[in-house]
Amino acid sequence: MNAVKISTGEIAYIERGTGPLVLLVHGFPLDHTMWDGQVEALTERFRVIVPDLRGFGRSPLGIVDPDLGITMEQYADDLVELLDALTIGADNQVVLAGFSMGGYIAWQFVQKHLRRLRALVLCDARAADDTDEARAGRLKMAEKVAEWGAARVAEMMGPKLIAPKTFESRPEVVAAVRRVVGRTAPAAIAAAQRGMARRPDMTAFLRQITVPTLVLVGADDAISPPAEMQSIALAIPDAKFVVIPNAGHMTPMENPDAVNRAMIDFITHLPRLFSPSQ
């Protein structure tokens, strides 16, 4: 992996391929490896950049308020600093694909850095903010994770992240998810949980999104169910909605081929994407 300095620390990333830019933003509490099933397929056509968000994978946590954590807006700002460091300016817009927490970050990217964006892919994410119960659960994990350790978080979250059929029949996927979660630093888990607990409700904002948007969801996603994801797609003008079969929340890992087909079809049909300036 390569790394660049940003104002709050450092971002590690991989970069593959040439052509139109695709930025893949991982979820919680994962790292860039959750996109391994997409990188090879996408780099045949596109220039793909896959960062580790601060504190995850090989990116150090950097400067963080221990009580407030890292907001979704701050993660979005980090991504812009990464693009700037790679001399990717507003004249070379990116297709941003955000998974789960990466989707929460994507909302902030759209709201604050729209001129940097060519199109949006929302994968198993939500627009609503947390219920009081969910928020309390996040803050409890943030408080206790140093005591629990990341391995316990992996055990707690595993059954929620993966479809029951995948959990029973594909132990390699279960092991891969547990492995990446289990190696995540507790301080990064705490910072992200506190940031997600503070995220705003973006439901009313959806109708203001003007970039082409693809909404993907696993057919058996229990965290961001298909009906909820479809309501997001219906609220975003002209958004495309695709249900990925044989997948729960971890669609890019559970059914990478179907995710790849949907993304490639969407990106290759974007108007003016292959203009000379790109």
Side-chain angles (χ1 to χ4, degrees), residues 71-221:
T71 67
M72 303 303 100
E73 180 181 355
Q74 288 170 326
Y75 285 125
D77 291 343
D78 289 348
L79 294 176
V80 170
E81 287 198 52
L82 169 64
L83 296 177
D84 288 343
L86 297 177
T87 65
I88 298 170
D91 59 338
N92 202 359
Q93 297 167 316
V94 302
V95 177
L96 190 157
F99 167 79
S100 196
M101 184 179 80
Y104 306 155
I105 296 166
W107 301 135
Q108 300 305 311
F109 197 103
V110 175
Q111 193 168 52
K112 191 173 181 181
H113 306 290
L114 180 62
R115 66 190 184 91
R116 311 296 291 267
L117 195 63
R118 179 65 190 89
L120 188 63
V121 179
L122 268 297
C123 186
D124 300 88
R126 307 185 70 200
D129 58 351
D130 282 338
T131 63
D132 290 342
E133 181 182 2
R135 187 176 297 109
R138 291 192 191 281
L139 295 176
K140 180 180 179 180
M141 182 179 288
E143 180 78 19
K144 296 289 188 179
V145 66
E147 173 188 336
W148 292 347
R152 179 171 171 181
V153 174
E155 291 296 324
M156 292 167 61
M157 294 188 65
K160 299 176 183 178
L161 294 174
I162 300 169
K165 184 176 180 180
T166 306
F167 207 86
E168 294 172 4
S169 63
R170 299 182 62 195
E172 74 283 0
V173 175
V174 178
V177 172
R178 285 179 171 168
R179 187 163 52 248
V180 66
V181 175
R183 65 179 178 234
T184 302
I189 291 174
Q193 285 285 44
R194 290 189 173 103
M196 285 190 285
R198 297 169 58 208
R199 77 185 193 278
D201 188 327
M202 301 300 292
T203 306
F205 175 71
L206 298 178
R207 65 178 66 94
Q208 301 176 41
I209 295 175
T210 57
V211 296
T213 301
L214 170 66
V215 178
L216 300 176
V217 64
D220 299 312
D221 189 340

Side-chain angles (χ1 to χ4, degrees), residues 124 214-221 224-227 229-230 233 240-248 251 255 258-259 261-262:
D124 300 88
L214 170 66
V215 178
L216 300 176
V217 64
D220 299 312
D221 189 340
S224 47
M229 293 292 292
Q230 185 175 30
K240 181 179 181 181
F241 178 62
V242 177
V243 177
I244 303 297
N246 303 315
T251 51
N255 195 343
V259 170
R261 285 194 297 271

